[in-house]
Amino acid sequence: MKAVEAYKKGKYHQAEIAEQFGISIATFNRYWRAYNAHGDLSPEKIPPWSPCSFIWE
C-alpha cells in the first residue's frame, strides 16, 4: 500500500517506486491494478464453500 500511496502523490515514476520498495515493476503494476479495481489492497476472504477452506478443516 505504501508503494501505491507514493505513486498517487505523483512525484515518482513506477520504475522509481518499484526500485525504492524492492519490488519488480510487474508487481507494482499488479498492486496498482488491484487498487484501481477494488479501492484497496486488502486480501479477499476465502468463501466457506471454497476448496481451499476444506483443507484446514
Side-chain angles (χ1 to χ4, degrees):
M1 192 65 190
K2 290 180 182 180
V4 170
E5 289 174 359
Y7 185 67
K8 283 177 28 180
K9 290 180 182 178
K11 295 182 181 180
Y12 303 101
H13 295 285
Q14 291 179 355
E16 294 171 320
I17 292 173
E19 184 178 337
Q20 179 181 358
F21 287 94
I23 58 175
S24 69
I25 295 173
T27 298
F28 174 79
N29 286 331
R30 190 169 52 247
Y31 291 165
W32 183 246
R33 283 192 307 269
Y35 177 80
N36 284 327
H38 304 289
D40 66 358
L41 294 177
S42 60
E44 295 179 17
K45 292 185 177 180
I46 298 174
W49 59 86
S50 170
C52 293
S53 65
F54 295 116
I55 294 172
W56 303 107
E57 291 182 355

